[in-house]
Amino acid sequence: MPNIGIPGLIIILVIALIVFGPKKLPQLGRAVGQTLKEFKNSTKDIVDDVAEEFKLEDKETEAKKKI
């Protein structure tokens, strides 16, 4: 993704303001924020699950080596 920069962000915000209007823009921002928060939490849960699986796998491997 190329760097947008400040002028690009201003243009995007102006277009969003024109398309959605000033009353819908805060709602849209909140919805995007909540979506990003859910995505972040979901990816964290997945990473934690995978890390836990690797720990269990390592413990099983160590237990087999001792036998």
Side-chain angles (χ1 to χ4, degrees):
M1 186 164 140
N3 293 337
I4 296 174
I6 300 296
L9 286 176
I10 292 172
I11 292 171
I12 291 171
L13 288 174
V14 168
I15 292 172
L17 186 62
I18 291 170
V19 171
F20 296 110
K23 291 184 180 179
K24 290 282 185 175
L25 211 53
Q27 293 173 350
L28 183 65
R30 251 183 254 114
V32 169
Q34 289 175 347
T35 302
L36 289 175
K37 182 179 177 183
E38 284 183 28
F39 180 74
K40 184 178 177 183
N41 288 339
S42 297
T43 54
K44 183 182 179 298
D45 289 341
I46 291 170
V47 168
D48 290 345
D49 288 344
V50 170
E52 185 177 323
E53 286 294 323
F54 278 119
K55 287 179 185 176
L56 289 174
E57 196 172 288
D58 287 344
K59 287 181 182 178
E60 289 176 0
T61 305
E62 289 178 12
K64 286 181 182 178
K65 286 182 181 178
K66 288 181 181 179
I67 295 176

